[in-house]
Structures are given as C-alpha cells and as structure tokens.
Amino acid sequence: MTSLVEIFIRFFTLGCTSFGGPAAHIGYFQQAFVQQHKWLSQQEFGNVVALSQFLPGPGSSQVGFAIGCHRAGIMGGITAFTAFTLPSVALMLLLYFVGLEFASSQTFIGVVTGLKLLAVVVVADAIATMAKSFCQKLWQQVLAVITACVLIFTPLPAMQIVLLMCAAVIGRVCFNASGTNGLIPALDESEKPRTLNWPMFVLFALLLIAGVLITGGSAIVQLIKDFYVAGSLVFGGGHVVLPLLQQAVADTLSQSEFLVGYAAAQAVPGPMFTLATYLGASILHNAPVLGAIAATLAIFLPGFLLVSAFQPVWQSYASNSKIAGALAGVNAAVVGLLLAAFYQPVLVSAISGWLDGVIALIGIWLLRGLKVPVLVLVASFAGLGVFLAQLS
C-alpha cells in the first residue's frame, strides 16, 4: 500500500466516524496514528497539537494536515485533509439538496448519539495517554489542571492563547533538562536548525491583505475573500468562526438560513468548518457545488498555509534543549485544553443521564483495558445508539 493511498484510507475512515468536535478528532488521531499505526511519537504528536493551538484556523484539521505532511510531505498533508473532510463536505451538500429530513431521522439521530458517547471514550483515552507523557512532574500536572479550570470558567478564545504563552514561561522556569527522561532529545549541534517557510507565510499574508482591502468583484470572488478572511482570524475552534461567518454572509443569507447550516454542521462527522460548504452552496445557489467547494477551500486554506510555514521551525525548536522547557510547559497546558474540551462540549453534549455515563465507562474499559479496536467500538456504539433511539 503506497503512503498516499494509506493516508487517504486512514483519514477517510476517521472522517466518516469522527463525531464530537475538535477534541474528539485529536483523540481519534492520537489513538490511530500514535498508538496504533505509530506514524509519529507521542512527543511529535504533542508538538503538532501545541502548534495548532497557537495558530488560527481549524485546530483538529491542522493536526491532521500536519500528520499527513509528516508521513508523506505536502501531498500527504493535502491527501489527509481531503480524505478527512470529504465525508463531511458530501453530507453537508446532501443536506443542502434534500433538506434536513435525513439529519432529523431517528436512525441518524441514534447513530450521532452513539458516536458522541464514543467521543467521550476516545477523548478520555487521549487525555490519559498524553498526560502520562506530558504531565510527569508535579508542576506539569498543576499547570494542566489550572489551564483546564480557567478555560472551563472563562471560555474565551483569547484566553487560550494567553494560557499557552504563560505555560511557555512557566515551563522555561520550571523545566529541568535532566528530568526529561529522553522525551525531548537534544539538538544535534551539527544539524542546522530549520527556519520559517517564508513563501508559505508570505502567501498567507498577501491573501489576507488582499481579502481585507479588495472590495467588489463577482459573487465567487467575494465569497472566497470573505471565507478566507474568516479562516485567518479564528482562534479556538469551529464555534468561534460562527460570528465571523454570520457577519460575512449577513447581506446574502437570512438568519434562519444560517442557523439551518449551523444545525447541519452539528449533525455530521468531521470538522465543523464544513459549515462553509453549506453556506457556500446557499450563497452561490445558481452553482451550489462550485460555491460549496470554493467556500470550503477558502476557509481551510489560511490554517494550512500557516502550518506549512511554522511546522519546520517548530519541530526544530522542539528538539532544542534551550527552549525545550517552554514546549514542556505548552504541552502540559495542551493536556489542560483537552480536559476543558472534554468537559465542554464533549461530556456535556454526550452524557444526559446515568445510563450514558455507564456506557461511557464501559467503553473506556473496553478501549484501555481490553484493547478493543476503535473500529469495533465505532460499529458497536453506532448500533447501540440506534437501538436506544428506537426505545425512546
């Protein structure tokens, strides 16, 4: 199996089953590509997740893109993005053409309910595994808990960046290079540190400036411009993009049309940024497929340009002992970010009663204790969700 074909199959499978939002997606990636397939180490995965939290754009999709690049270069990243996003894009287009009858069917609701419960299991497993690697010291454990508590009680997008920057400072102060247990290798002095990928960064900046300054143009140009700017300014995940998109489409779509698209994005697997698929089709209603594709690519593009620009220097710095402490603090804070996301929205949206809690605990035992494959759990939880939906 060639690398690109393997990447497509792995990410397409995840794209079909990854309900639960960005935290759940990161959990699925960690379970699949670190634990199962060993495409990258826990440390490399943690560094990629940390980078995605610092940059604007769709966090979990950026992680998937970076994993694909790590596996097979830029084509691997493009393949990973295409495969992971394709199921969601196809479903959003389907819902646009046929309405929300499919999304409101009892069977589909049951599948979504079951897979949301599985998201609780997968995210809990990812938190436990990452905490074992990144929270070995007491100061790292305290930092992770404080980060989670602050984000739970102050869920502001800017707060995430502030906490990560504070974690970098704390890590630099508290870090003891002799206590890393080999998790962060020292940089080989003969290896020249890589630098920022300037062409990608310049392209990102030029497109953003053009999107802000250029006015007028055809409907397709306006659509691409608005969605690119929105994707360039979003920190904190899919829900944060809502006000930016709502402002961008206010002149062309009604409030009710926008909310229908938002509801559809909540009902499908994969990244929530595929709300752009539905909105693009609605805005360019004379050519809905073209509008959907253009809006989707435009909103994802800035995040991927930034990952391509910063990943080389980020990975180089991750191996530099002089700033390994800062990254150790950031990785501990990332565990806190996942803890906060585990509570809201994963846990809050999935657990509605004692039975849901029991099912989730059994799932955690099956995954961590008995090592049941995730695909088996996907089928089991989806079937269980349908069964419970029929009883209600």
Side-chain angles (χ1 to χ4, degrees):
M1 182 183 299
T2 63
S3 293
L4 293 181
V5 172
E6 183 183 19
I7 289 171
F8 186 90
I9 292 173
R10 305 296 184 201
F11 275 93
F12 184 80
T13 302
L14 291 174
C16 290
T17 57
S18 293
F19 290 86
H25 302 163
I26 290 173
Y28 279 110
F29 292 159
Q30 193 272 343
Q31 212 283 332
F33 302 121
V34 178
Q35 296 187 49
Q36 185 177 356
H37 303 301
K38 303 187 186 306
W39 284 7
L40 65 173
S41 68
Q42 185 66 63
Q43 182 64 36
E44 290 170 327
F45 181 77
N47 290 336
V48 167
V49 174
L51 174 61
S52 74
Q53 303 305 313
F54 269 110
L55 299 175
S60 60
S61 295
Q62 288 172 311
V63 172
F65 177 78
I67 292 173
C69 290
H70 179 86
R71 183 69 173 173
I74 189 67
M75 287 306 301
I78 293 172
T79 301
F81 159 70
T82 302
F84 184 66
T85 312
L86 184 59
S88 180
V89 168
L91 282 172
M92 292 296 282
L93 265 177
L94 177 65
L95 293 176
Y96 169 79
F97 284 117
V98 305
L100 292 180
E101 289 82 1
F102 174 66
S104 61
S105 69
Q106 198 75 358
T107 298
F108 187 78
I109 291 173
V111 170
V112 171
T113 300
L115 292 180
K116 281 186 176 180
L117 286 174
L118 179 60
V120 174
V121 175
V122 173
V123 176
D125 176 67
I127 291 171
T129 303
M130 294 179 71
K132 185 178 180 181
S133 294
F134 301 135
C135 298
Q136 296 182 357
K137 306 296 182 181
L138 178 60
W139 68 268
Q140 293 172 310
Q141 297 164 9
V142 172
L143 183 57
V145 172
I146 291 175
T147 300
C149 291
V150 171
L151 285 175
I152 288 172
F153 292 106
T154 314
L156 301 175
M159 184 60 67
Q160 174 178 305
I161 303 300
V162 171
L163 289 171
L164 289 172
M165 294 176 67
C166 291
V169 175
I170 293 171
R172 188 70 184 92
V173 173
C174 297
F175 184 73
N176 183 347
S178 63
T180 61
N181 296 324
L183 287 176
I184 304 177
L187 183 68
D188 186 347
E189 296 299 329
S190 64
E191 180 184 348
K192 182 179 180 180
R194 289 175 288 179
T195 60
L196 188 72
N197 187 333
W198 283 105
M200 289 294 186
F201 182 75
V202 170
L203 179 59
F204 160 79
L206 289 177
L207 289 174
L208 178 59
I209 293 170
V212 173
L213 296 181
I214 293 176
T215 58
S218 65
I220 185 69
V221 171
Q222 185 69 27
L223 180 147
I224 292 172
K225 177 181 74 71
D226 289 342
F227 280 80
Y228 183 87
V229 171
S232 301
L233 302 178
V234 174
F235 289 90
H239 293 278
V240 184
V241 81
L242 293 178
L244 288 172
L245 286 181
Q246 195 165 16
Q247 182 180 3
V249 304
D251 295 334
T252 51
L253 292 182
S254 67
Q255 180 79 4
S256 61
E257 288 177 305
F258 183 86
L259 292 177
V260 165
Y262 176 57
Q266 301 265 47
V268 301
M272 191 174 171
F273 268 48
T274 52
L275 166 61
T277 304
Y278 189 95
L279 297 179
S282 301
I283 293 171
L284 215 67
H285 52 83
N286 291 328
V289 175
L290 175 61
I293 294 173
T296 303
L297 294 178
I299 201 170
F300 279 101
L301 180 59
F304 295 155
L305 290 176
L306 287 174
V307 169
S308 299
F310 282 94
Q311 189 178 15
V313 66
W314 186 265
Q315 293 292 358
S316 178
Y317 284 163
S319 300
N320 190 321
S321 59
K322 294 181 180 179
I323 52 178
L327 289 176
V330 169
N331 283 333
V334 165
V335 175
L337 296 181
L338 282 178
L339 275 170
F342 177 69
Y343 173 73
Q344 173 68 272
V346 175
L347 198 64
V348 171
S349 65
I351 305 296
S352 58
W354 67 267
L355 181 58
D356 293 336
V358 170
I359 293 172
L361 288 174
I362 293 174
I364 292 172
W365 172 67
L366 291 173
L367 181 61
R368 292 191 63 82
L370 299 185
K371 308 297 182 185
V372 174
V374 171
L375 286 180
V376 174
L377 292 177
V378 167
S380 301
F381 272 72
L384 180 61
V386 173
F387 175 73
L388 294 176
Q390 300 300 325
L391 295 180
S392 61

